[in-house]
Amino acid sequence: AVGDAAIAFDPLSSHGISNAIYGAKTSAEAIVSFLKGEKQALRIYENTLSRIFEAYLKSKSSSYTAESRWANSSFWKAYHTVHRF
């Protein structure tokens, strides 16, 4: 649950399962390291998740702005207004 709850991905991106597994592994390692006295372990884990999510957002933005088939639809106009890609 820790790995899956850390970051939410667009289901169309196919990042959910792989990042949930990776997040579970790295969060467990960070928790164990922290409990062993490595005070920076949780901060390092947080920074790793931040970098992963920033890269994902760039990729998502690139993918969504590349699609122009429905550019004139009122739904996508409103979506892009709110999300500002």
Side-chain angles (χ1 to χ4, degrees):
V2 173
D4 197 33
I7 303 174
F9 295 95
D10 183 331
L12 298 176
S13 72
S14 300
H15 287 290
I17 293 172
S18 60
N19 277 295
I21 292 168
Y22 175 78
K25 177 186 173 290
T26 55
S27 64
E29 292 169 347
I31 291 166
V32 169
S33 295
F34 180 78
L35 292 174
K36 288 182 176 179
E38 296 177 34
K39 302 214 182 275
Q40 293 299 316
L42 298 180
R43 178 70 62 198
I44 292 168
Y45 173 67
E46 177 186 3
N47 291 338
T48 299
L49 289 183
S50 293
R51 285 193 309 276
I52 290 169
F53 197 63
E54 287 172 18
Y56 159 73
L57 288 177
K58 287 179 185 178
S59 174
K60 178 183 174 189
S61 176
S62 176
S63 296
Y64 274 72
T65 56
E67 181 53 64
S68 61
R69 288 181 285 180
W70 302 284
N72 292 322
S73 109
S74 58
F75 171 82
W76 286 110
K77 284 180 182 177
Y79 181 87
H80 288 295
T81 300
V82 171
H83 293 87
R84 302 191 199 290
F85 288 123

